[in-house]
Amino acid sequence: MNLRLIGIGAGVLIILSLPLAGAIAGPDFAGQDDGKGGGLFSTLGLSDSPRTSPTAPARPAGGAVEPGKPGPAEQPRTDSRCGPEVSSPHGVEAQTCVLVGEGRTWGRSYYRNTSGRALDAVLTMMGPAGRTVQIRCAVGAGDEPGLCETPKEDSAGAPDSYSAVAEFAVPDDEGELLLRSGSNSSVPGDG
């Protein structure tokens, strides 16, 4: 009975491998081109042959998309003004930025906490005419990079009229300040 199962299994493998062998060989087997242009290698784009798939859209040289044909969506431009990367001896690193895009402005602070304890971060975004947005972020105890970000608000002035400050502190009654990072801070040594 085992020999019968082995024989059936071998037969099934042979039957299943025939279409694959034909696809690899392609239609130009023994010099006879059937006009379908292919084989498995050209279908997967592995062939050196210049044939193209009849269902693939034509693209001009260089990979550019022809006018009128859909292409990747253009991403909106986001400008940023960032202060320097700063670090504290307590194991906190941060960089704070003001971002502007699509008529909106917001603050963002990138951080890394290697202090070994959870911290609180307060990110304050200040704009023209006394406008202020503040958000509190929990900073986990671990060295994975993270970010704290204010909500995006409609811009009400020039980008340089905004600034952002992030403060990282111990979350207890005393709230010991470990690091302050600003979007318009001068780089140490700049005078």
Side-chain angles (χ1 to χ4, degrees), residues 120-123 134-138 148:
D120 279 340
V122 176
L123 176 60
Q134 190 175 70
I135 189 162
R136 188 174 297 270
C137 299
C148 182

Side-chain angles (χ1 to χ4, degrees), residues 27-165:
D28 198 13
F29 183 71
Q32 300 174 357
D33 187 1
D34 66 0
K36 294 180 184 174
L40 182 61
F41 288 134
S42 63
T43 302
L44 296 175
L46 301 174
S47 171
D48 291 336
S49 150
R51 298 178 181 164
T52 59
S53 167
T55 58
R59 291 189 178 252
V65 177
E66 292 181 12
K69 301 238 180 190
E74 188 173 317
Q75 296 296 316
R77 181 182 168 106
T78 301
D79 293 319
S80 64
R81 193 180 76 252
C82 299
E85 294 179 29
V86 293
S87 61
S88 78
H90 304 287
V92 183
E93 303 169 2
Q95 182 177 33
T96 302
C97 305
V98 170
L99 296 109
V100 178
E102 297 185 312
R104 306 183 92 183
T105 305
W106 65 101
R108 179 183 291 165
S109 186
Y110 302 95
Y111 63 82
R112 186 179 193 120
N113 176 16
T114 61
S115 70
R117 57 184 168 183
L119 302 174
D120 279 340
V122 176
L123 176 60
T124 305
M125 168 93 148
M126 295 149 291
R131 295 170 51 142
T132 302
V133 176
Q134 190 175 70
I135 189 162
R136 188 174 297 270
C137 299
V139 176
D143 66 354
E144 290 298 314
L147 66 89
C148 182
E149 186 172 87
T150 66
K152 297 176 182 178
E153 300 285 333
D154 290 336
S155 297
D160 61 354
S161 63
Y162 287 87
S163 62
V165 174

